[in-house]
Each structure stands twice: as structure tokens, then as C-alpha cells.
Amino acid sequence: MKVYYIGVIRNETKPAYELCCEKDLSSYSRFTRDSYGEFMSLFSKTVAERTKPGQRQDVQEQSYTFHAYGRTEGVAGIIISDQAYPALVAHQLLSKVVDEFLVLHPRSSWATQTPPPSLPLPQLKEYLVKYQDPAQADSIMKIQKELDETKIVLHKTIESVLERGEKIDSLVAKSDGLSAQSKMFYTQAKKQNTCCVVM
């Protein structure tokens, strides 16, 4: 699971403008990183333009998913991830990023300028690193992962009990066999000893 892009885009007018973003292009070769970064910006703006205020949507393109969250303030948050990344975590992060952006940069600081200035949101870099592992970043996912691990341990324990139970059954079967042989031995010994009994 990987997050490649987190950004806030002004989408109330066309063309859309990237107000702030952070990209992780480390998985691409040095020669293609700039091109991938430009395509991410272009497609993010395109998805943002098609995201209505108050709407959340996920758009899949090849092996990528664009998670979008439109706000009534005229901005949209966009995350680009691989398709395995959980949408719930992506949308929680989008809400957090857009809320923090609007607190730091109210609408009045960017709404009237065309093109708007690039506005810094320093925590984007931290979020891009932190949210690479959604289980660590999201407490619900973390608890779910722990529950899944507990289920695995329980299944292993039940399986080991069953194996142990099968071994116990084979021992019981063997002891039943010994009991029959013991009974046979006892009856034969008893027969042989009866000839020597003096009454």
C-alpha cells in the first residue's frame, strides 16, 4: 500500500489550481520522476474539477486510485494511492488535511487571486510518511489488525489442540489395544494356573 500524492486544489473555477501538495516519487526512476509528478498534478486537477462541493469520490485509473473530497469553500482534497490502500483511511486523511489547510489559509487569502499563490502546509510531508502504513496511522485499522492477529493466534491454538486431540485419540486407541492384550494375557494365564490349583 502506498500514497503518492496529497494535495489541496482550488476547484470552484476552471481551470483548477493546486494550492499545496506533497508527492512521493521515490518509487519511480530519476529520469521519469518529473513526468510522473506533472501527470499527478494534471490528473488531480482534473478529478478536483469534477468533484462537487460536499462530494467524496474514488476514481480508479490503471493501478492508481484518486480519492477526492470537495468542500463548499471552493477547494478539494486529493490523495493518489495504489488500489490496495483503504478508502476509509484516505478519506479520513483528506478531511484532516482540508480542515487544517482552511484553518491555516482562510478562503480570503487565495479566493480572489488568479492564479492563486502556492500556500505551504508543512504537515503534508509528515502525513505522506506517516500514512504510508494505514494501520499505524488510523486507530480503527490498528485495532482491526490486532484483532485479526488475535484471530490467527486463536486459530493456531485450536489447530494445535485438535492435533493434540488426535494424538490423544491414537494413544487411547493404543491403550484399548493394550487392554485387550492384557485381558487376553490374563485369561490365558488364568487358564494355565487353574491346572495347578489344589482344592
Side-chain angles (χ1 to χ4, degrees):
M1 289 184 263
K2 183 140 180 84
V3 175
Y4 300 100
Y5 175 97
I6 303 173
V8 177
I9 296 170
R10 186 177 92 178
N11 67 338
E12 63 186 344
T13 58
K14 289 185 182 180
Y17 291 101
E18 206 170 48
L19 297 174
C20 68
C21 75
E22 193 64 45
K23 302 170 190 167
D24 179 2
L25 303 171
S26 61
S27 57
Y28 305 109
S29 87
R30 266 186 287 176
F31 303 110
T32 60
R33 283 182 188 165
D34 290 339
S35 297
Y36 274 103
E38 289 171 10
F39 277 113
M40 285 181 186
S41 292
L42 173 70
F43 291 130
S44 294
K45 291 176 196 174
T46 304
V47 171
E49 286 174 355
R50 288 161 178 77
T51 303
K52 296 179 179 106
Q55 180 186 18
R56 290 182 184 271
Q57 66 177 344
D58 294 332
V59 179
Q60 292 186 345
E61 177 60 33
Q62 296 177 7
S63 62
Y64 302 100
T65 300
F66 292 76
H67 307 277
Y69 172 40
R71 291 283 296 257
T72 56
E73 292 88 346
V75 295
I78 303 287
I79 290 178
I80 302 174
S81 68
D82 61 8
Q83 290 185 356
Y85 201 85
L88 176 68
V89 178
H91 284 285
Q92 286 175 344
L93 176 58
L94 279 173
S95 295
K96 185 176 189 172
V97 165
V98 174
D99 287 344
E100 289 176 5
F101 176 81
L102 290 171
V103 166
L104 195 61
H105 305 288
R107 180 177 163 74
S108 59
S109 67
W110 49 264
T112 56
Q113 300 174 22
T114 302
S118 182
L119 303 168
L121 190 61
Q123 53 268 49
L124 278 185
K125 214 171 249 193
E126 175 191 331
Y127 292 155
L128 194 62
V129 172
K130 181 180 177 184
Y131 279 81
Q132 292 301 330
D133 181 8
Q136 293 300 320
D138 181 42
S139 57
I140 295 172
M141 290 268 312
K142 191 174 184 179
I143 291 168
Q144 184 63 45
K145 185 179 177 185
E146 289 172 4
L147 286 172
D148 290 343
E149 288 172 357
T150 304
K151 277 194 239 176
I152 291 168
V153 169
L154 285 174
H155 288 299
K156 286 182 180 175
T157 305
I158 291 169
E159 286 172 8
S160 64
V161 166
L162 288 176
E163 288 173 11
R164 205 177 295 148
E166 289 170 7
K167 290 177 185 174
I168 290 171
D169 288 343
S170 65
L171 286 175
V172 168
K174 288 179 185 176
S175 70
D176 284 344
L178 287 175
S179 295
Q181 288 176 350
S182 297
K183 288 179 184 176
M184 219 165 154
F185 176 77
Y186 174 75
T187 54
Q188 286 181 354
K190 193 172 180 182
K191 284 181 190 174
Q192 287 181 352
N193 289 338
T194 54
C195 68
C196 303
V197 174
V198 177
M199 293 210 166

